[in-house]
Amino acid sequence: MTTDHTGYFEELASALRAAQVPEEQTAATVADLTAYLAETGTAPEEEFGPAAAFAAQLGAAAPAVTGPPGEAETWTWTADIYNDRRLLAVHGDQGWEVERLDALGRFVCRRTPGTALRWEYRREIVGGRREEVLGRLVPEGWEPCGEWFFYAYFKRPTAASAGPAATLDTLPARPARSWYIGGKGWALSAGWLVAVVLILVAYYSRRVDFAVAFPVLLAGTFAMTYWARRTVARSSDAAT
């Protein structure tokens, strides 16, 4: 079966332009549908029907052009490892695209009214096997969008799995919150902070000398890191 669908998509793009669909949205639609077909391995006529008829459906669903495209919205938010994937799914379905993770581990997002798509995300433990993870996910259309400690986040338009349904006609309001830390996340942070404070107080009160305090603090750091990594691994396995 041939995978060269250039003629079909050229006809589709011409029909969308004739229906006054904005050029940026036309290009994004063609790119997303091309990626979708690469994922499914089906022919465009089989999946979408004749190009002209399919363009008429897409053109009717496109928002009316009443002026220049809206400016891109930006939004930065954070979550703990118990809530991040659930919230990425919710916000991705509202058109928020994660561009990167900042130095504090926050998700830096954007979306543009009129051209926003639904996005899907996944989280992977990378550690020393980053190249192996990339080699497995990139061919499936996943794009890296940020790393934090020993795990990485990937994104792709939902069109890769849902086709045209990935396009958003209306956008929900930007969430009022930007901080999503649940009970487990607070307990983890508080427990680590209390342990550090107790060790430092014992050391500076001279009840514990450096030869004891430093190894305990170091061991606690490694234990906490190992525990967090195991938690991420278990939650990842449960989601698959």
Side-chain angles (χ1 to χ4, degrees), residues 151-218:
Y151 49 99
Y153 294 88
F154 296 81
K155 66 181 178 182
R156 71 178 179 184
T158 306
S161 58
T167 304
L168 284 168
D169 297 328
T170 58
L171 299 180
R174 189 174 79 168
R177 296 178 57 190
S178 59
W179 189 267
Y180 299 90
I181 307 297
K184 290 183 179 179
W186 284 118
L188 174 63
S189 301
W192 176 237
L193 180 61
V194 168
V196 171
V197 169
L198 288 177
I199 293 173
L200 291 177
V201 168
Y203 171 68
Y204 282 107
S205 65
R206 300 185 181 280
R207 295 183 179 179
V208 178
D209 61 20
F210 181 79
V212 175
F214 180 75
V216 170
L217 190 58
L218 189 62

Side-chain angles (χ1 to χ4, degrees), residues 1 7 11 14 22 40 67 69 73 77 80 94 132 138 140 151 164 166-167 177 187 202 214 226:
M1 180 183 295
E11 181 182 353
S14 297
T40 61
E73 298 179 89
W77 60 280
D80 57 45
Q94 297 175 355
E132 183 272 325
V138 170
E140 298 179 0
Y151 49 99
T167 304
R177 296 178 57 190
F214 180 75
Y226 176 77

Side-chain angles (χ1 to χ4, degrees), residues 76-125:
T76 300
W77 60 280
T78 190
D80 57 45
I81 59 174
Y82 303 102
N83 294 300
D84 55 354
R85 288 178 303 162
R86 175 181 63 83
L87 291 166
L88 282 167
V90 171
H91 300 321
D93 199 52
Q94 297 175 355
W96 290 105
E97 177 188 1
V98 174
E99 292 190 309
R100 60 186 175 86
L101 268 69
D102 66 11
L104 299 177
R106 300 178 302 175
F107 299 101
V108 180
C109 306
R110 65 173 293 168
R111 67 178 180 180
T112 304
T115 61
L117 297 173
R118 292 184 172 90
W119 291 85
E120 56 185 338
Y121 299 93
R122 65 183 296 160
R123 186 187 68 199
E124 293 281 336
I125 297 175

